């Protein structure tokens, strides 16, 4: 039975929906349509003339090596963030699942980073890895002889934003993994133990496959997060640098549009991003609806 | 194949709850032992200690010639069938059965051969490629059995394996499990709270109550000579009738609280005059008799076909006594009896069919 709510007044449901609709309209539909509109226009350097150029902006984008490079950077960044945050979250969830005493305290503490704003997370790690004052940079130099410098070294910069972005996402993944783990019947693990599987083998042959629906869901969520929600993290730390080494697609939209003032090109990039996020969402819904088949 | 020896086994859970209060049990090679008792009496706890899924906090468990207290479940050479079957949902029936063999490094052809053999025995041949969710309850149950038998362990442990099945399938699977066990001759410990299942399957029964083994014996021993009020009430359906009373001053009769006087068995009755006792008598051992010492007023009749069950109040035929009624009594008559509510019958019981228990301790006298 599906519960149905009935309203006495015809206008009440609309009134209740209005704020949400308004927000969607103002912050999503409107900017999206603006992006679509600008993506087929070109403004001259002085902002005096606007020409309709159809798909020229897109054609230009995909022939621009810096854009293609940014694509690669973004994919590399997203995959690294997803891998890192998922694996740490899984390890933590497995450990928290076994804790009996004080489990709530662990869980609460592990969830905290999720409440930290992306930019703050970025700044936090920026200082930890600051070549001059950061403890992490100091440890790397003192113990491993590695001269960390994310303002000069592109790889270091990339690592920095990966760590900062992944750290924030671990909490979210942890919650889902923990819920997933707790949904696996104990008797399955016990049966596997009687069947002679070592704890590690039990994990890989029973637990991990049974977690796959959760994992799949989280992979998509994490990639979307790394693609779109990390602007603050990057802006507060590397600003896309050095030399574009951390210039992800989202950051490039901002860079080209608001710093480079190429509105048409930037809008075209937004449209590409929109297409990506729509695709990911569709993929996710289709699979989540059908659940991952065992 | 092995015998199983449980000596003074105790279990205290980490939260301080003592679930098992020292149980001794010797299971012979190939024997089918059923642990039965009400919910929460510690059946699963004991079974899981044998399996190695719970630590043993006192006493020793021996399988074959090894003390297994400290061994991992995998090293105890046992197989367990769980109440919810615990089949691996992401593996096919074949993989479910092969998993334990693979982990033990059996060669492929031997795995194949054993799984096929088990599938043949359990009529799972056509289903080996299916996933558990594509099977019926009975088939899942068989796969769980298959997973246990391919390993050819020295003991099977069952924890209420039939309680998720409907009544008809339960009877069928009960027979199948018992036949399979006979055929394989594997020592088995089977947990259930269903006393019919317990009576029909067991070579010997262990009736458990609040963490202790109240009585251990064959189903017939338990039925004929229950060692306590608890066992008497638990084994047999409908349950044994209990009446309060005391031994008469002559030591040859029982005086019920309701004033009725029943003869004691002539041979060596523990006739300590005036001793307070609880008298147990099974519904099938009460017979109508014109001049019976009990007066029975029928309050409810149940026609089961082969039997008729009468429920009602028993009191003394002669009147007198302290005037209280004897309490609710069930009578089981074989065949059909058209008895109206309110009918009054005289009832009698063979002295040999009376069970005497101490009124205070509930132990058999
Ligand atoms: N992990 C645990 N910690 C503390 N007490 C427990 C634990 N597991 C079981 N118990 C307690 O031990 C007692 C015996 O439990 P057990 O599961 O063995 O009962 P059971 O006889 O199998 O009952 P059922 O027929 O309901 O399955 C119960 O009182 C239960 O509450
Ligand atoms: Mg149980």
């Amino acid at each position: 039975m599906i519960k149905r709510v009935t309203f006495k007044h015809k206008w009440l449901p609309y009134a209740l929906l209005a704020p949400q609709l308004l927000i969607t309209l103002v912050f999503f539909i409107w900017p999206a349509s603006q992006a679509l509109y600008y993506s087929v226009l070109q403004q001259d350097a002085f902002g005096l003339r606007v020409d309709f150029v159809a798909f020229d902006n897109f054609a230009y984008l995909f022939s621009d090596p810096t854009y293609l490079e940014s694509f690669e950077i973004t994919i590399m960044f997203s995959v690294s963030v997803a891998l890192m945050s998922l694996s740490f979250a899984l390890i933590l969830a497995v450990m928290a699942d076994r804790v009996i005493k004080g489990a709530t305290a662990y869980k609460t503490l592990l969830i905290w980073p999720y409440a930290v704003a992306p930019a703050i997370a970025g700044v936090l790690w920026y200082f930890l890895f600051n070549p001059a004052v950061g403890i992490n940079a100091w440890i790397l130099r003192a113990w491993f002889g590695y001269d960390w410098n994310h303002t000069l070294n592109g790889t270091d910069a990339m690592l920095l934003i990966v760590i900062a972005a992944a750290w924030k996402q671990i909490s979210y993944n942890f919650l889902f993994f923990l819920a997933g783990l707790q949904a696996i019947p104990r008797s399955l693990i016990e049966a596997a133990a009687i069947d002679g599987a070592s704890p590690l083998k039990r994990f890989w042959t029973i637990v991990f496959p049974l977690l796959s629906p959760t994992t799949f869901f989280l992979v998509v969520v994490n990639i979307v997060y790394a693609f779109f929600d990390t602007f603050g993290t990057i802006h507060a730390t590397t600003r896309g640098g050095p030399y574009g080494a951390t210039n992800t697609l989202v950051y490039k939209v901002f860079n080209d549009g608001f710093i480079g003032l190429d509105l048409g090109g930037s809008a075209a990039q937004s449209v590409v991003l929109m297409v990506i996020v729509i695709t990911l969402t569709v993929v996710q819904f289709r699979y989540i609806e059908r659940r991952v088949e065992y | 194949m092995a015998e199983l020896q449980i000596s003074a086994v105790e279990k205290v859970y980490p939260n301080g709850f003592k679930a098992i209060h020292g149980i001794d049990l010797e299971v012979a090679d190939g024997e089918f032992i059923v642990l039965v008792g009400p919910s929460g009496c510690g059946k699963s706890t004991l079974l899981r200690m044998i399996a190695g899924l719970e630590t043993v906090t006192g006493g020793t468990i021996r399988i074959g010639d090894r003390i297994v207290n400290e061994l991992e479940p995998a090293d105890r050479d046992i197989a367990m069938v769980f109440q919810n079957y615990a089949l691996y949902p992401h593996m096919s029936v074949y993989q479910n059965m092969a998993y334990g063999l693979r982990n033990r490094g059996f060669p492929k052809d031997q795995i194949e051969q054993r799984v096929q053999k088990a599938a043949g025995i359990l009529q799972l041949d056509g289903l080996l490629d299916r996933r558990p969710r594509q099977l019926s309850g009975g088939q899942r149950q068989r796969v769980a059995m298959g997973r246990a038998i391919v390993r050819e362990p020295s003991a099977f442990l069952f924890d209420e394996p039939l309680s998720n099945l409907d009544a008809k399938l339960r009877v069928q699977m009960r027979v199948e499990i018992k036949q399979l066990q006979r055929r394989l001759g594997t020592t088995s410990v089977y947990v259930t709270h269903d006393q019919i299942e317990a009576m029909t399957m067991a070579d010997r029964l262990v009736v458990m109550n609040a963490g202790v083994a109240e009585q251990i014996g064959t189903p017939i021993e338990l039925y004929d000579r229950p060692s306590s009020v608890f066992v008497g009430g638990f084994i047999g359906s409908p349950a044994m009738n209990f009446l309060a009373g005391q031994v008469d001053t002559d030591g040859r009769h029982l005086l019920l609280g309701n004033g009725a006087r029943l003869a004691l068995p002539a041979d060596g009755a523990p006739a300590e005059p005036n001793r307070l006792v609880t008298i147990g008598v099974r519904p099938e051992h009460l017979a109508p008799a014109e001049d019976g010492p009990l007066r029975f007023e029928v309050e409810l009749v149940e026609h089961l076909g082969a039997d008729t069950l009468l429920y009602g109040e028993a009191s003394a035929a002669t009147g007198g006594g302290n005037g209280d009624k004897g309490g609710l009594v069930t009578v089981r008559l074989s065949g059909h009896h058209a008895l109206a509510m309110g009918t009054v019958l005289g009832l009698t019981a063979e002295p040999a069919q009376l069970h005497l228990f101490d009124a205070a301790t509930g132990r058999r006298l």
Side-chain angles (χ1 to χ4, degrees):
Chain A
M1 270 280 290
I2 298 171
K3 270 198 189 162
R4 273 178 183 277
V5 184
T6 37
F7 293 100
K8 269 208 199 97
H9 307 288
K10 274 234 163 355
W11 51 266
L12 186 59
Y14 298 102
L16 290 174
L17 272 177
Q20 183 65 45
L21 287 176
L22 200 68
I23 287 172
T24 314
L25 213 66
V26 171
F27 292 102
F28 184 71
I29 308 284
W30 171 248
S33 62
Q34 285 290 296
L36 270 175
Y37 175 64
Y38 279 113
S39 70
V40 292
L41 300 177
Q42 193 162 33
Q43 235 175 2
D44 72 7
F46 303 103
L48 298 175
R49 259 184 49 200
V50 177
D51 295 321
F52 177 76
V53 294
F55 295 114
D56 280 6
N57 284 329
F58 292 94
Y60 175 75
L61 263 190
F62 287 100
S63 60
D64 176 10
T66 62
Y67 187 68
L68 298 178
E69 196 188 342
S70 170
F71 233 114
E72 276 170 33
I73 287 171
T74 309
I75 288 169
M76 163 114 122
F77 171 69
S78 305
V79 170
S80 313
V81 168
L83 261 181
M84 190 174 207
S85 61
L86 283 171
S87 39
F88 273 101
L90 185 55
I91 293 171
L92 289 172
V94 168
M95 296 200 292
D97 191 34
R98 314 178 104 181
V99 173
I100 298 162
K101 274 189 201 144
T104 332
Y106 284 109
K107 284 176 213 166
T108 313
L109 288 176
L110 281 166
I111 290 158
W112 274 0
Y114 194 58
V116 176
I120 308 291
V123 171
L124 185 81
W125 288 97
Y126 182 84
F127 277 115
L128 284 172
F129 278 107
N130 186 300
V133 298
I135 178 126
N136 289 4
W138 182 83
I139 288 174
L140 281 174
R141 191 165 40 241
W143 297 358
F144 302 98
Y146 183 78
D147 219 354
W148 175 279
N149 193 336
H150 55 243
T151 51
L152 296 175
N153 184 323
T155 317
D156 288 358
M158 178 55 103
L159 263 173
L160 176 71
I161 60 168
V162 166
I163 291 172
W167 175 73
K168 221 188 94 54
Q169 196 64 5
I170 287 176
S171 306
Y172 182 88
N173 298 342
F174 166 79
L175 276 186
F176 276 85
F177 273 137
L178 189 63
L181 284 173
Q182 290 178 343
I184 297 176
R186 274 207 71 75
S187 58
L188 282 186
I189 312 298
E190 292 173 348
I194 293 176
D195 265 341
S198 64
L200 208 62
K201 186 145 194 191
R202 261 175 261 164
F203 180 80
W204 286 117
T205 56
I206 309 287
V207 176
F208 193 70
L210 291 180
L211 272 183
S212 61
T214 310
T215 312
F216 179 79
F217 165 79
L218 287 176
V219 165
V220 177
V221 168
N222 278 264
I223 286 180
V224 171
Y225 161 80
F227 257 71
F228 304 100
D229 274 357
T230 47
F231 173 81
T233 316
I234 298 173
H235 194 56
T237 52
T238 62
R239 294 180 181 252
Y243 320 114
T246 57
N247 205 7
T248 63
L249 289 174
V250 168
Y251 202 76
K252 195 164 154 56
V253 169
F254 164 80
N255 235 352
D256 293 0
F258 294 90
I259 312 289
L261 294 178
D262 172 14
L263 275 191
S266 164
Q269 292 180 32
S270 303
V271 172
V272 172
L273 280 176
M274 247 189 290
V275 171
I276 294 173
V277 80
I278 288 170
T279 317
L280 282 172
T281 314
V282 167
V283 167
Q284 168 158 332
F285 270 108
R286 293 207 59 146
Y287 280 92
I288 297 300
E289 291 284 286
R290 276 199 277 129
R291 307 282 309 277
V292 175
E293 301 258 322
Y294 296 132
Chain B
M1 311 300 122
E3 51 277 351
L4 174 67
Q5 193 178 37
I6 292 168
S7 323
V9 162
E10 295 185 357
K11 175 70 187 180
V12 181
Y13 275 110
N15 66 0
F17 180 78
K18 190 160 187 184
I20 303 286
H21 297 260
I23 286 190
D24 293 290
L25 172 67
E26 301 224 355
V27 185
D29 186 17
E31 196 175 18
F32 197 106
I33 287 280
V34 174
L35 305 180
V36 68
S39 189
C41 67
K43 309 178 295 286
S44 297
T45 303
L46 183 59
L47 193 77
R48 290 166 58 79
M49 281 198 284
I50 301 172
L53 300 173
E54 296 287 353
T55 55
V56 180
T57 54
T60 54
I61 296 178
R62 194 187 281 273
I63 300 176
D65 45 16
R66 292 184 305 168
I67 291 180
V68 298
N69 282 31
E70 303 297 329
L71 291 185
E72 287 294 316
D75 301 329
R76 297 189 179 199
D77 198 20
I78 47 101
M80 182 153 166
V81 178
F82 293 83
Q83 175 171 357
N84 63 359
Y85 317 133
L87 299 179
Y88 312 124
H90 57 298
M91 297 185 193
S92 68
V93 168
Y94 184 95
Q95 289 167 327
N96 262 283
M97 293 206 263
Y99 186 70
L101 299 175
R102 285 207 184 121
N103 289 335
R104 289 180 165 76
F106 277 74
K108 255 207 154 64
D109 52 332
Q110 205 174 340
I111 295 178
E112 171 79 22
Q113 182 218 329
R114 285 205 190 187
V115 172
Q116 292 297 350
K117 188 174 150 210
I121 295 175
L122 295 160
Q123 298 150 36
L124 290 169
D125 307 85
L127 307 174
L128 288 175
D129 292 329
R130 297 234 192 131
R131 295 285 157 90
R133 72 189 155 79
Q134 300 166 313
L135 301 175
S136 72
Q139 290 166 337
R140 282 181 209 178
Q141 178 59 57
R142 288 207 188 90
V143 177
M145 287 292 302
R147 194 168 63 181
I149 67 176
V150 287
R151 296 237 327 270
E152 300 177 6
S154 47
F156 289 142
L157 307 174
F158 300 87
D159 194 355
E160 309 207 20
L162 303 183
S163 55
N164 284 354
L165 301 177
D166 66 54
K168 200 171 159 204
L169 202 53
R170 195 148 55 203
V171 175
Q172 182 192 335
M173 289 306 298
R174 179 170 97 199
V175 175
E176 282 185 24
I177 290 182
K178 182 70 203 193
Q179 283 174 339
L180 186 64
Q181 191 267 343
R182 278 273 151 73
R183 177 165 163 187
L184 300 173
T186 308
T187 312
S188 302
V189 182
Y190 186 107
V191 163
T192 181
H193 59 252
D194 180 326
Q195 57 108 1
I196 307 264
E197 221 168 275
M199 294 290 280
T200 51
M201 299 180 87
D203 291 330
R204 279 192 305 148
L205 274 172
V206 180
V207 178
M208 289 181 59
N209 181 22
V212 292
E214 284 267 338
Q215 190 174 3
I216 301 174
T218 65
I220 295 305
E221 276 167 21
L222 265 61
Y223 177 84
D224 284 348
R225 287 187 61 82
S227 68
S228 65
V229 169
F230 179 84
V231 177
F234 197 82
I235 300 293
S237 168
M240 183 182 266
N241 298 304
F242 293 105
L243 301 164
Q246 105 185 66
V247 179
D248 206 353
T249 41
D250 67 357
R252 298 256 140 253
H253 289 82
L254 286 169
L255 211 52
L256 299 193
N258 60 19
R261 212 157 171 261
L262 300 174
L264 272 176
D267 56 323
E272 186 184 311
N274 296 327
R275 181 166 193 169
L276 290 176
V277 292
T278 300
I279 295 133
V281 55
R282 297 202 179 274
E284 50 271 44
H285 295 147
L286 285 169
E290 289 269 337
D291 54 351
L294 287 169
R295 182 179 171 279
F296 177 73
E297 186 175 338
V298 179
E299 286 173 6
L300 181 71
V301 185
E302 282 180 358
H303 300 283
L304 302 182
D307 294 321
T308 306
L309 299 183
L310 310 176
Y311 300 90
E313 205 88 39
S315 52
T318 53
N322 55 11
D324 71 341
K325 297 215 172 184
L328 273 178
V329 164
T330 314
V331 180
R332 177 184 200 152
L333 305 175
S334 66
H336 303 302
H337 297 267
L339 289 166
M341 251 169 62
T343 311
V344 174
L345 297 172
L347 285 181
T348 183
E350 280 291 311
Q353 309 284 26
L354 296 179
H355 304 272
L356 255 60
F357 305 100
D358 185 276
T361 63
R363 293 265 130 211
R364 185 182 191 88
L365 295 177

